[in-house]
Each structure stands twice: as structure tokens, then as C-alpha cells.
């Protein structure tokens, strides 16, 4: 940014995010715009300068023919309809080619997952025969992949970074998409975080997303794209009470949600009925990873 430009952009994003909270608040009948204070809007400069040190599952984003899924392949399930849509986003392993050009896959279901049509399913694997169009190949331990998460902000505004590298998970199909490839240089991605999701009883779902920075091997070293992003976050103040007006969700403070106190953030009821959240990583999970 040139001198003064960062503050101008910050003020513009704050104004837009506050106006969006006002509009959503009117729609759901609550004063959401009063939850932040003058100290909570935050704009960050994030430089992903060592992506080769961060590894994770990378989704091959385009469909592949059935021959690309030999037994043992790690896959993601996408695009199912009806009751089976709850399995969209789950990981699985190819067991064998099935009849009628379908592929036999063993799904790994998230912790505490339950399905209304299949009783006593919690914590179990499940086999399904699926067409190749309903699978995406996973490259495990790929460099440049960062943890998938939903934000702790009411609203996040993500302008285009210096190079495309923000992936979002489609809440309907469960597939990962390269969001920045669809953005013009002067466009932003605007999405809800967990506090707004909770306040509106999942009417405005939090968006799962993750940084993904291209890393290519080059003569024993690494060729990479330096990604710099400048997201804006409109957080509630720590003492703000999140009190949904629809359903029976209990009141919690933003401080409790942000710290996932007593697992309150894991326990959002919609997180147990969909494999969309199978990639979710919270800060307490990251702390445990660092201990290993």
C-alpha cells in the first residue's frame, strides 16, 4: 500500500462489514452490529514465505476418470444428493472397482457424526459404491497446504492476494474450490465466521477455507510463489453475548466461542450432521500437533 492507503482500505472494509452486520441483524431480528467495539476490527498482513514446511491433503480440484482411482487411493466424496448429501466432503479410501463402472469407497466419518437415516452410525466407517464424478483425488502430505478452518470473526473480507492461494469448501457439494482464481484484482471474497453462524442458528453458515500455496521442487530446493494476503476481520468484543433467537442454542460469550471452552465450538449441532466439517482444525488441535 502507498502511504495512507492501508488506513483508507481498513476504513472502507470496516464500514462495509458493519453495514452487512446491520442488514443481517435486521433480517434475523437482533442487533449484531453492536457486538464489535472500536478495538475489535482487525486487518492483517500475512506472508506465506515458507509453505514447503506446511503439509496436508491437497485436493485435485477437477474430476478424473475412473482409471485414476486405483485401490488404496485417498479420495474425497462430493456432489451427492438427497439424504446422502450429508456425506459430501468426507474423506475415503478406494477399496475396489465396483459394478457398473462405479468405485467401492470406504468413507471415514468425522467424530460424533450421525445420520438420521442410518442409526448407530457414530464413529464408524461406511462403504459406498460411487461414480468417479462423485470423487476427488487427494494428494496426501502435499507441501504448501495449511489447516482448514472457519474464522472467529462475524465477517471476513479477503481481497485478492499477491497470487491465488485461497481455497474454499463448497457447503453444498463438499468439494474444495480455488476461490481467488474467480476473483478480479479489485474484487474481495466476503464470508461469515463461526460467531455469525452461531448467532443466526446456521442461517448464515461459516465458510470453511484454507491457504494453499504452490510449491514446486527445483534441483533439490523449492520453487514457490510468495503469497501475501491482507484479510480484514470484524470480531465481536470478548464479553459480547452470542444469544441465538431461533432454536434452543444456549447463550455463550464470544470469549468462550473463540477459545472453544468446554468444546462449545465443536458442539454446534450442525457439525454433527454433515461431513462438511471433516477438515476442521481449531487452535487447540494445532497446539496438540506441535507437542508431537
Amino acid at each position: 500500500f502507498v502511504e495512507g492507503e492501508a488506513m483508507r482500505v481498513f476504513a472502507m472494509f470496516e464500514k462495509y462489514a458493519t453495514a452487512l452486520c446491520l442488514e443481517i441483524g435486521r433480517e434475523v431480528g437482533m442487533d449484531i452490529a453492536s457486538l464489535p467495539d472500536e478495538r475489535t476490527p482487525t486487518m492483517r498482513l500475512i506472508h506465506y514465505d515458507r509453505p514447503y514446511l506446511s503439509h496436508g491433503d491437497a485436493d485435485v480440484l477437477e474430476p478424473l476418470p475412473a482409471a485414476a482411482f486405483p485401490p488404496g487411493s485417498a479420495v474425497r466424496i462430493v456432489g451427492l444428493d438427497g439424504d446422502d448429501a450429508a456425506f459430501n466432503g468426507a474423506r475415503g479410501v478406494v477399496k475396489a472397482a465396483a459394478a457398473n463402472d462405479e468405485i467401492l469407497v470406504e468413507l471415514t466419518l468425522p467424530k460424533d457424526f450421525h445420520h438420521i437415516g442410518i442409526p448407530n452410525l457414530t464413529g464408524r466407517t461406511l462403504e459406498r459404491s460411487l461414480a468417479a464424478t462423485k470423487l476427488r483425488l487427494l494428494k496426501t502430505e502435499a507441501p504448501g497446504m495449511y489447516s482448514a478452518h472457519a474464522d472467529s470473526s462475524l465477517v471476513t473480507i479477503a481481497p485478492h492476494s499477491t497470487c491465488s492461494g485461497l481455497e474454499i469448501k463448497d457447503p453444498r457439494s463438499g468439494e474444495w474450490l480455488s476461490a481467488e482464481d474467480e476473483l478480479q484484482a479489485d474484487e474481495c471474497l466476503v464470508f461469515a465466521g463461526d460467531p455469525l453462524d452461531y448467532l443466526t442458528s446456521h442461517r448464515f453458515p461459516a465458510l470453511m477455507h484454507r491457504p494453499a500455496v504452490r510449491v514446486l521442487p527445483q534441483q533439490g530446493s523449492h520453487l514457490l510463489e510468495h503469497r501475501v494476503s491482507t484479510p480484514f476481520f470484524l470480531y465481536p468484543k470478548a464479553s459480547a453475548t452470542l444469544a441465538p433467537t431461533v432454536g434452543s442454542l444456549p447463550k455463550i460469550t464470544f470469549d468462550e466461542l473463540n477459545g472453544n471452552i468446554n468444546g462449545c465450538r465443536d458442539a454446534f449441532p450442525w457439525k454433527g450432521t454433515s461431513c462438511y466439517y471433516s477438515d476442521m482444525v481449531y487452535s487447540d488441535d494445532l497446539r496438540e500437533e506441535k507437542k508431537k
Side-chain angles (χ1 to χ4, degrees), residues 19-64:
L20 185 58
C21 286
L22 279 168
E23 186 63 27
I24 292 173
R26 292 190 195 102
E27 189 170 329
V28 299
M30 62 179 67
D31 186 8
I32 297 174
S34 68
L35 296 177
D37 62 22
E38 69 278 0
R39 296 168 296 177
T40 58
T42 303
M43 193 168 181
R44 294 178 181 153
L45 177 69
I46 306 173
H47 185 194
Y48 298 88
D49 60 340
R50 294 187 293 173
Y52 46 84
L53 297 181
S54 183
H55 293 74
D57 290 343
D59 292 56
V60 177
L61 303 184
E62 66 275 2
L64 298 173

Side-chain angles (χ1 to χ4, degrees), residues 9 47-48 88 93 145 163 186 231 235 280 287:
V9 172
H47 185 194
Y48 298 88
N88 286 338
V93 176
M145 301 302 299
C163 64
D186 60 348
Y235 295 105
M280 185 74 76
R287 284 193 294 270

Side-chain angles (χ1 to χ4, degrees), residues 59 75-78 89-90 134-136 138 169 174 176 279:
D59 292 56
V75 295
R76 187 179 306 284
I77 287 71
V78 302
K134 303 301 181 183
L135 302 176
R136 296 293 181 269
L138 292 180
K169 196 173 187 182
W176 284 96
D279 302 299

Side-chain angles (χ1 to χ4, degrees), residues 87 109-110 113-126:
F87 299 118
L109 303 175
F113 176 81
H114 55 276
H115 191 290
I116 191 170
I118 309 177
N120 304 318
L121 185 60
T122 300
R124 298 183 180 179
T125 57
L126 181 71

Side-chain angles (χ1 to χ4, degrees), residues 238 250-268 282-284 287:
K251 296 179 181 179
I252 58 175
T253 66
F254 172 64
D255 206 28
E256 290 172 322
L257 179 147
N258 194 36
N260 197 22
I261 304 300
N262 297 320
C264 64
R265 197 165 175 177
D266 296 326
F268 292 0
Y282 288 124
S283 56
D284 49 347
R287 284 193 294 270

Side-chain angles (χ1 to χ4, degrees), residues 270-281:
W270 45 88
K271 291 184 176 178
T273 59
S274 171
C275 292
Y276 177 72
Y277 302 97
S278 60
D279 302 299
M280 185 74 76
V281 175

